[in-house]
Amino acid sequence: MTSGAGNQIYVGCDCGSALPSSIRFTLAGSEATGDRIFLSFDGGDAETISVWDGEITSDCRACAGTFDHVLERLKEHSRIRVMFQNGDAASFTLKGSSGAIGECIADFWK
């Protein structure tokens, strides 16, 4: 999903392979720095989401819980606003995201 130059949401999900399942956000061409990002769905209150090396990983129990939560939110809502700790922010439409994401299992559960 993209929203303007250098803004992207990447959902990596390749069930049945050795590739890791993760969610990564890029704003203004840069990935998140720090240990958290803020996500607001459909104009609601911002949620604080933990990230590791700029992405939501899925290879530990807590990581998988966060991954599953954000993945479901991406699939069930129509808009998201992403903000990094440095103040960079962008809004994205989530139209068609449920079909594009499909079935995705966190690495911890594999």
Side-chain angles (χ1 to χ4, degrees):
M1 295 167 262
T2 61
S3 174
N7 298 332
Q8 180 180 31
I9 300 172
Y10 173 78
V11 177
C13 184
D14 202 356
C15 297
S17 77
L19 296 175
S21 294
S22 64
I23 304 169
R24 184 173 46 250
F25 300 89
T26 305
L27 301 179
S30 298
E31 293 183 2
T33 58
D35 61 353
R36 64 187 167 275
I37 59 173
F38 308 95
L39 304 179
S40 174
F41 293 90
D42 292 338
D45 292 337
E47 300 179 37
T48 302
I49 304 294
S50 296
V51 295
W52 297 268
D53 294 326
E55 65 184 6
I56 300 169
T57 59
S58 68
D59 57 351
C60 70
R61 183 177 299 277
C63 308
T66 300
F67 176 84
D68 289 344
H69 172 75
V70 172
L71 196 68
E72 286 307 308
R73 307 275 288 164
L74 290 171
K75 292 164 74 173
E76 67 188 18
H77 290 279
S78 58
R79 294 202 56 79
I80 183 175
R81 179 167 171 79
V82 179
M83 189 167 80
F84 290 171
Q85 285 179 277
N86 69 1
D88 288 347
S91 294
F92 297 81
T93 181
L94 297 174
K95 184 177 182 177
S97 62
S98 182
I101 294 170
E103 185 78 23
C104 189
I105 300 170
D107 293 335
F108 184 79
W109 312 125
K110 292 181 184 177

